Amino acid sequence: MKRTKITDALKRNDFGAEICVKGWVRSKRGSKGIFFIALNDGSTIKNMQIVGEDSNFDEEMLKRITTGACLSVEGTLVESPAAGQSSEIQATKIEVLGDCDNSYPLQKKGASWEYLRSVAHLRPRTNTFGAVFRIRHNMAMAIHTYFHEHGYFYFHTPLITASDCEGAGQMFQVTTKNLYDLKKDEQGNIIYADDFFGKQTSLTVSGQLEGELAATALGAIYTFGPTFRAENSNTPRHLAEFWMVEPEVAFIDLPELMDLEEDFIKFCVRWALEHCREDLEFLNKMVDKGLIERLEGILNTDFVRLDYTEGIRILQEAIRGGHKFEFPCEWGDDLSSEHERYLVEEHFRKPVIMTHYPKKIKAFYMKIDDQKPILDGKEMEETVQGTDVLFPQIGEIIGGSVREESYEKLIGEIEERNIPMKDMWWYLDTRKYGSCPHGGFGLGFERLILFVTGMQNIRDVIPFPRTPKNANF
Ligand code: 4AD
Ligand code: MG
């Protein structure tokens, strides 16, 4: 008999029909010669209840129906007398496809997140991780749908690259060289000419630079793929391997870029509410009681648009009013997460799009502002048209900017920052040949999933997290 997915079976009401389902046993209980099995096949958070009389089945087979075992069940779809489910299956035939003994690591309910990370190969079989990964899939679909419907082309940028887009030196090297026997020149520098690519290469930290090439040809593109950062940040918000969505658009200015960021995030959140209702309801009950309310709240909120300089003024006022921060916040400092959280969670209580950051704390490609900001009557240093979107509980979810389109100014930045010019010739060609105003942003996919699921740790929203000292599975 052809197998029916449990999500489809639960929608049917042709009671009396013969049906076959397959899945893994979540639990089995019995009373007075009748057994009840909760079977889950991953197609939905919901289980199918299987009911049968012990006397109709082989005793040895029934003993093999343990938590985690894999079953094929045939029977009759019937209306369920039990609350919380519309149908169940009266079993006529059960086959154990895979036994599961009591060494199964997901035996007990309520295991800690840390423990579940140590069994990341099996944790997708739990309710919570099933929900998280179904939502993750749906958010990927939301992203493709949003950009496709808005006329953006999905553009594939390389994962192996010779340039450091963010200039932060957080690259993982890619080499086939024998690390135990490295050839060096007279100055002690490693010779890369005989390496696989004939030069030093790394895993990309961002597809943006190649994305800009595409945007200045196709008009509007997005990339969506893995990104790698060798930053030694052991926080609940950082991964060494994460997924990033990077739209890049020709002829866009800063207000339009901010509109795009806000519209895009709201689209994704609305998509989750519309397509992942059952999983969200589960997470709302079990993981984060305020989740659905927070997601709905975002849809009805205008994000605050805030100059960095104004942000510093607010933070300094808070300090004068007695608020204690661990880190200083003078104009020119990079805001730390406690500052971002103060602005978003305490001062405005809304998402904040911050702009016009000091040039020196942002990447080389950002467009330089014409005017310098004034704080307390004093003129500050140069700023750039960067935009970070700061979210409650997450902090920075998006980083983006309008790009510097002037060849001369861009060269000036590259020289000032000692970025090796010969590696950048292809990028500079966009400014040399028909340069145009353009901009874009990068959204950390896992940070979006954190927000949408209410999970607390970024290691729990990607199937197999890569973090410092951890590359299991
Ligand atoms: O702010 P970032 O570094 O910006 C860029 O990479 C630009 N090239 C994007 C662009 O303009 N096209 O990173 C963008 C986003 C951050 O806002 C954050 O959400 C996420 O990527 N991110 C990380 N997520 C998880 N782990 C990390 N280590 C991350 N680093 C950045
Ligand atoms: Mg950033």
Side-chain angles (χ1 to χ4, degrees):
M1 198 190 291
K2 195 172 173 294
R3 169 208 170 205
T4 304
K5 282 190 186 175
I6 288 174
T7 185
D8 299 327
L10 287 171
K11 288 181 198 127
R12 282 170 55 170
N13 53 13
D14 53 335
F15 303 120
E18 292 303 300
I19 191 167
C20 167
V21 295
K22 300 182 184 189
W24 295 269
V25 176
R26 283 292 160 81
S27 64
K28 182 186 171 215
R29 60 192 172 84
S31 80
K32 302 187 192 116
I34 298 179
F35 62 80
F36 302 89
I37 302 165
L39 198 71
N40 189 285
D41 70 358
S43 61
T44 162
I45 186 98
K46 296 205 166 137
N47 301 325
M48 176 61 90
Q49 172 150 283
I50 313 292
V51 189
E53 280 177 43
D54 290 347
S55 57
N56 292 341
F57 295 89
D58 173 55
E59 208 178 318
E60 286 310 306
M61 189 283 294
L62 287 178
K63 278 191 205 148
R64 292 168 59 205
I65 303 177
T66 53
T67 298
C70 185
L71 306 184
S72 171
V73 178
E74 291 181 22
T76 314
L77 189 70
V78 297
E79 202 165 357
S80 176
Q85 61 196 29
S86 58
S87 54
E88 59 187 37
I89 293 173
Q90 212 104 53
T92 49
K93 191 173 151 197
I94 298 179
E95 188 187 344
V96 179
L97 300 177
D99 289 282
C100 189
D101 68 22
N102 60 14
S103 67
Y104 182 52
L106 301 177
Q107 223 48 267
K108 283 194 291 287
K109 289 217 160 103
S112 71
W113 302 121
E114 287 80 6
Y115 172 72
L116 289 169
R117 263 170 240 149
S118 75
V119 290
H121 59 308
L122 294 170
R123 67 179 182 170
R125 289 199 204 170
T126 65
N127 283 329
T128 301
F129 285 94
V132 167
F133 297 139
R134 277 186 298 272
I135 291 172
R136 190 178 160 106
H137 158 78
N138 276 289
M139 297 323 287
M141 298 314 288
I143 286 161
H144 286 299
T145 304
Y146 180 87
F147 288 118
H148 178 69
E149 286 182 352
H150 287 79
Y152 290 63
F153 300 106
Y154 182 26
F155 191 76
H156 296 116
T157 52
L159 298 191
I160 299 175
T161 157
S163 52
D164 181 358
C165 173
E166 295 304 301
Q170 297 169 329
M171 316 269 287
F172 288 102
Q173 273 198 55
V174 174
T175 180
T176 52
K177 277 187 159 293
N178 177 356
L179 298 180
Y180 299 98
D181 182 21
L182 285 174
K183 257 185 256 158
K184 296 189 179 165
D185 66 13
E186 275 141 34
Q187 285 85 47
N189 299 316
I190 297 165
I191 300 168
Y192 283 99
D194 63 347
D195 200 356
F196 189 90
F197 296 105
K199 58 161 89 167
Q200 191 176 3
T201 51
S202 305
L203 294 176
T204 188
V205 296
S206 160
Q208 180 196 321
L209 301 185
E210 291 90 350
E212 286 185 53
L213 308 181
T216 54
L218 303 173
I221 63 94
Y222 68 107
T223 72
F224 183 20
T227 312
F228 307 88
R229 298 209 181 163
E231 60 186 319
N232 203 359
S233 306
N234 246 315
T235 82
R237 307 275 172 269
H238 288 89
L239 290 165
E241 177 180 297
F242 64 98
W243 284 62
M244 187 154 51
V245 186
E246 294 186 279
E248 191 70 31
V249 192
F251 317 117
I252 198 168
D253 63 16
L254 187 60
E256 290 167 339
L257 183 62
M258 291 192 278
D259 289 344
L260 174 65
E261 292 169 342
E262 184 167 343
D263 191 52
F264 169 62
I265 294 189
K266 285 180 174 171
F267 179 91
C268 292
V269 170
R270 200 175 302 116
W271 185 282
L273 287 166
E274 283 170 9
H275 292 82
C276 311
R277 200 73 211 189
E278 289 177 349
D279 287 324
L280 287 178
E281 277 166 7
F282 173 83
L283 294 170
N284 194 69
K285 202 163 101 197
M286 305 303 287
V287 173
D288 176 353
K289 299 260 183 293
L291 176 63
I292 290 181
E293 199 184 309
R294 199 163 56 245
L295 296 180
E296 282 167 349
I298 284 289
L299 299 183
N300 306 317
T301 305
D302 290 330
F303 295 6
V304 176
R305 298 178 182 204
L306 181 74
D307 266 31
Y308 167 89
T309 303
E310 177 61 10
I312 291 289
R313 202 192 55 71
I314 293 169
L315 289 165
Q316 291 182 344
E317 201 173 272
I319 292 169
R320 279 196 294 276
H323 196 95
K324 295 259 180 302
F325 292 112
E326 192 184 340
F327 296 100
C329 70
E330 295 299 322
W331 197 97
D333 293 341
D334 213 350
L335 296 187
S336 64
S337 76
E338 56 173 348
H339 302 132
E340 294 175 348
R341 294 187 76 150
Y342 176 82
L343 291 171
V344 173
E345 290 166 25
E346 293 184 47
H347 188 82
F348 291 108
R349 295 172 181 275
K350 289 175 180 196
V352 170
I353 310 186
M354 190 175 266
T355 56
H356 304 290
Y357 286 86
K359 190 182 93 171
K360 66 176 185 208
I361 59 168
K362 289 292 182 188
F364 75 96
Y365 48 70
M366 295 194 183
K367 186 176 171 68
I368 299 168
D369 283 311
D370 295 333
Q371 274 186 351
K372 292 179 181 162
I374 309 285
L375 180 62
D376 297 337
K378 282 197 287 275
E379 192 181 71
M380 300 287 119
E381 290 164 27
E382 275 184 318
T383 56
V384 287
Q385 292 190 10
T387 89
D388 278 5
V389 180
L390 310 176
F391 250 52
Q393 300 185 315
I394 308 296
E396 181 191 332
I397 191 165
I398 279 183
S401 79
V402 175
R403 317 305 186 194
E404 182 54 70
E405 84 236 35
S406 149
Y407 183 80
E408 285 72 31
K409 285 190 190 168
L410 194 60
I411 290 271
E413 282 312 304
I414 288 175
E415 280 174 353
E416 208 175 297
R417 294 165 194 248
N418 285 319
I419 298 170
M421 195 85 96
K422 71 171 178 15
D423 294 336
M424 299 304 291
W425 63 271
W426 52 273
Y427 181 70
L428 290 167
D429 271 3
T430 51
R431 280 39 173 197
K432 223 156 98 184
Y433 304 122
S435 186
C436 77
H438 64 286
F441 66 80
L443 167 121
F445 187 51
E446 285 75 19
R447 294 199 185 169
L448 175 69
I449 309 297
L450 275 178
F451 182 72
V452 168
T453 58
M455 298 293 283
Q456 295 295 312
N457 195 309
I458 202 162
R459 292 165 180 79
D460 298 331
V461 295
I462 187 166
F464 304 107
R466 267 74 183 105
T467 50
K469 302 278 179 289
N470 171 43
N472 286 331
F473 312 107

